[in-house]
Amino acid sequence: MRIGELAERAGTTTRTLRYYESRGLLPARRTDNGYRTYDEEDLCMVRQIRTLQDFGFELEETRPFVECLRVGHPAGDACPDSLAVYRRKLDELDALIEQLRAVRAQVGAQLVRAELEAGAALPGGPEPRCELGG
């Protein structure tokens, strides 16, 4: 198939496919008249890259999955390097989740403080202050 058909079937653009090619993630096969040509395996590679990127993987992190597909593993994630990327990504996600929990706790504390202060602003209470506190 040609680049336009591959882009359409993979749900991406020809520009993106050319970029993948320039990064060595997609083979650069050409016909005698210079047209790029692709097959079903290439479609599988592009779909794998796009799925991983949708999950938050950087483009370079997809390389082990593409290489795993190239050596014949149908899912592209059964090779040691692919598994290592999965593990690193899970560690990264766990760290982000912990950061979000900490931020949530801080926002929750600010809300409680603000609600208490807003209650004090009722008639006869102290004047409200405009400052952030811990």
Side-chain angles (χ1 to χ4, degrees):
M1 74 187 92
R2 286 172 125 175
I3 193 167
E5 182 182 351
L6 177 62
E8 183 178 326
R9 289 182 63 191
T12 191
T13 65
T14 58
R15 181 178 179 192
T16 297
L17 296 178
R18 287 186 198 99
Y19 181 67
Y20 292 169
E21 181 183 315
S22 74
R23 300 295 308 236
L25 293 169
L26 195 60
R29 293 184 304 270
R30 296 196 182 249
T31 61
D32 291 339
N33 58 5
Y35 290 113
R36 288 174 172 88
T37 182
Y38 303 96
D39 58 23
E40 293 297 319
E41 288 179 15
D42 299 323
L43 176 60
C44 185
M45 279 188 250
V46 173
R47 286 181 174 159
Q48 177 80 303
I49 293 167
R50 294 194 38 81
T51 297
L52 291 168
Q53 286 194 297
D54 287 347
F55 290 160
F57 288 72
E58 297 294 327
L59 183 60
E60 193 56 34
E61 290 176 309
T62 70
R63 188 173 301 280
F65 298 88
V66 169
E67 290 170 1
C68 194
L69 285 168
R70 284 185 182 147
V71 296
H73 292 277
D77 60 1
C79 297
D81 289 345
S82 301
L83 296 171
V85 172
Y86 273 153
R87 287 184 191 101
R88 281 194 306 270
K89 183 55 75 175
L90 283 176
D91 289 344
E92 179 184 312
L93 290 170
D94 288 340
L96 288 172
I97 289 167
E98 287 306 312
Q99 287 176 349
L100 287 172
R101 284 186 178 136
V103 169
R104 187 188 189 291
Q106 290 174 340
V107 171
Q110 288 294 98
L111 173 61
V112 168
R113 183 206 46 81
E115 288 175 335
L116 288 172
E117 198 168 291
L122 295 174
E127 289 292 315
R129 300 178 315 220
C130 292
E131 62 185 65
L132 287 176

